[in-house]
């Protein structure tokens, strides 16, 4: 499942603002967005990723996405960097 890809990534960036900032620098290969997160939180990352052609993977749970990153809180958006 998608969470495994996040777990195996050597470098992740957690959070919408940080993910968007990393996409501006061209370092992001893919973003993961939790479906249970508020759209006002995730929309900026989704819109910018679509604009620049970064693949977007939707996952069910922000709690599980956070756990896949090794943190104890939920994560709405996670970026995998190259």
């Amino acid at each position: 499942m998608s969470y495994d890809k996040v777990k195996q990534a050597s470098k992740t960036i957690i959070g919408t603002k940080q993910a968007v900032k990393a996409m501006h620098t061209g370092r992001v290969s893919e973003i993961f967005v939790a479906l249970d997160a508020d759209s006002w939180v995730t929309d900026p990352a989704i819109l910018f990723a679509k604009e620049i052609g970064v693949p977007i993977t939707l996952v069910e749970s922000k709690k599980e996405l956070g756990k896949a990153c090794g943190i104890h809180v939920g994560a709405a958006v996670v970026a995998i960097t190259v």
Side-chain angles (χ1 to χ4, degrees):
M1 180 149 204
S2 304
Y3 299 113
D4 292 330
K5 196 169 186 181
V6 174
K7 285 180 189 174
Q8 294 167 1
S10 58
K11 180 80 171 109
T12 58
I13 294 174
I14 303 165
T16 301
K17 288 180 186 176
Q18 292 82 356
V20 170
K21 199 182 292 185
M23 284 190 276
H24 276 288
T25 65
R27 299 181 303 154
V28 175
S29 60
E30 184 174 2
I31 67 166
F32 292 80
V33 178
L35 290 171
D36 63 346
D38 292 328
S39 62
W40 64 269
V41 173
T42 59
D43 282 353
I46 292 171
L47 293 172
F48 191 59
K50 285 181 180 177
E51 191 178 306
I52 63 171
V54 171
I56 303 164
T57 301
L58 301 175
V59 295
E60 293 294 319
S61 165
K62 60 186 176 184
K63 183 177 180 182
E64 289 298 316
L65 188 55
K67 192 186 296 184
C69 294
I71 61 174
H72 299 290
V73 294
V77 176
V78 173
I80 293 181
T81 59
V82 289

